[in-house]
Amino acid sequence: MRADRLVATLLFLQSRGRVTVAEVAAELEISERTARRDLEALSTAGIPVYSQRGRGGGWSLVGGARTDLTGLTAEEIRSLFLRAGSATATPQLRTALRKLVRALPAPLRSDAEAAARAHIVDATDWTRADATAAAPQLDALRRAVVDGHQVRLGYAGPGKPASVRTVHPLGLAFKAGNEYLVADTEGGLRTFRLSRVLTAEPTGAPVTRPEGFDLPAVWRSLAARLEDRMLAATVRARAEPGTLAILERLFEGRLRIGEKLPDGWSEVTVDGPTAEVVAGQLAAFGARIEVLDPPQARERLARLAVELARVYGAPDSVP
């Protein structure tokens, strides 16, 4: 326990430049007698700590000296640099990582530098040409979250015209290759997908945070609500064996493969926002998939068949 306290005392001293015994005692919630003993122990251990008596005095590091002590273990350092690899970090994060490397004890520096080069996160969807379109808004929203300023947000939801509203930015979340703003609005807490943010203008007015707000808990609740809407309908179908691998890649966790049928085909179920949307996605497989239910999914496919025949013409014969 005393070793931890000495480390905390040294870091507090380093961050403040000069401290009094009373300040150390208040910061670490110990007695002034214990604080004085700890400061003296640091000096005795060879750390360049000295005291100055009189008005304006206190304890300081000699010449403003700084320690390379970070309190991080080797495993913690590797984990940090792996997760924040310099190959994908923002310029600000790369600068912070370089400073942290210089602050690390020499035996740990090479480990940290190797870890930074060993990991890359590519959030770009293979089907998207540009995943950086929201970068200017992302920077503005990050500043608004950190500074606690309300924002006039220009936003275009899916299938909706663009609109402008004032929101209280509370946090940012990254999920499945997309970044989201969590904000309080007149209609309550909600999420905004950053790729749909058109403008983000800080108003200067302070953010009002809901009492007891906890970002991870709120995000889990909002994400669960969104996922419920995205998986509100289930379509049952029978699929040709050669389609199963493609279906698994296309629908991932939304697909469930059932038992094999006597004709060699397999029964499958697919979840989606509506039965009509799932039917439209399955239409690309043509006769290799037969939708069984619900009826509205079959009706959607029948309408699509009529529309496509009207555009492209019905073939005279089917091979």
Side-chain angles (χ1 to χ4, degrees), residues 6-278:
L6 290 174
V7 169
T9 300
L10 179 56
L11 293 176
F12 181 56
L13 179 61
Q14 178 174 293
S15 67
R16 295 287 294 272
R18 174 174 294 179
V19 298
T20 65
V21 169
E23 287 170 341
V24 173
E27 175 70 16
L28 303 184
E29 298 181 349
I30 55 179
S31 69
E32 291 192 13
R33 182 178 178 183
T34 299
R36 185 182 301 279
R37 261 201 325 263
D38 288 347
L39 287 163
E40 291 171 348
L42 289 174
S43 180
T44 303
I47 295 173
V49 175
Y50 75 100
S51 64
Q52 182 178 346
R53 298 183 180 278
R55 189 177 183 85
W59 290 77
S60 307
L61 285 168
V62 174
R66 298 183 66 82
T67 173
D68 63 2
L69 182 63
T70 65
L72 297 172
T73 67
E75 189 60 36
E76 289 168 341
I77 290 167
R78 279 193 295 271
S79 178
L80 172 63
F81 279 82
L82 276 170
R83 298 292 294 175
S86 59
T88 54
T90 63
Q92 295 89 342
L93 181 53
R94 284 197 294 269
T95 299
L97 291 175
R98 284 196 298 269
K99 290 180 179 178
L100 180 55
V101 166
R102 289 196 296 268
L104 291 173
L108 300 180
R109 287 177 198 158
S110 58
D111 227 14
E113 291 168 344
R117 295 190 298 267
H119 183 68
I120 184 169
V121 176
D122 186 353
T124 306
D125 191 312
W126 288 109
T127 62
R128 294 179 189 158
D130 183 10
T132 62
Q137 290 77 26
L138 174 59
D139 289 342
L141 290 171
R142 280 175 174 161
R143 287 195 299 270
V145 169
V146 173
D147 296 342
H149 290 159
Q150 296 180 39
V151 167
R152 276 191 291 273
L153 198 71
Y155 191 76
K160 298 179 181 178
S163 62
V164 178
R165 71 200 81 187
T166 299
V167 303
H168 296 248
L170 300 171
L172 293 161
F174 187 82
K175 181 177 177 67
N178 294 295
E179 193 129 19
Y180 297 85
L181 170 71
V182 177
D184 203 5
T185 70
E186 291 182 352
L189 292 169
R190 62 160 295 184
T191 61
F192 297 90
R193 187 163 160 173
L194 261 62
S195 60
R196 296 178 181 140
V197 173
L198 305 176
T199 58
E201 180 186 350
T203 67
V207 161
T208 301
R209 297 177 71 84
E211 186 176 353
F213 177 81
D214 179 71
L215 180 60
V218 169
W219 171 252
R220 285 193 296 270
S221 175
L222 293 172
R225 201 182 311 164
L226 181 61
E227 287 168 3
D228 286 345
R229 291 200 299 269
M230 293 174 64
L231 306 176
T234 299
V235 170
R236 187 170 65 90
R238 54 192 299 270
E240 186 182 276
T243 65
L244 296 180
I246 303 172
L247 287 169
E248 287 180 321
R249 289 197 297 271
L250 179 62
F251 294 105
E252 296 181 338
R254 296 191 288 137
L255 173 76
R256 293 176 296 283
I257 300 174
E259 61 182 15
K260 183 172 287 190
L261 302 173
D263 59 2
W265 287 37
S266 295
E267 185 169 305
V268 299
T269 55
V270 183
D271 298 326
T274 67
E276 291 82 355
V277 168
V278 176

Side-chain angles (χ1 to χ4, degrees), residues 284-305:
F285 292 87
R288 301 178 71 190
I289 289 181
E290 180 189 359
V291 170
L292 303 175
D293 55 57
Q296 56 264 40
R298 293 178 60 88
E299 292 166 5
R300 174 58 177 157
L301 287 170
R303 290 195 301 272
L304 281 174

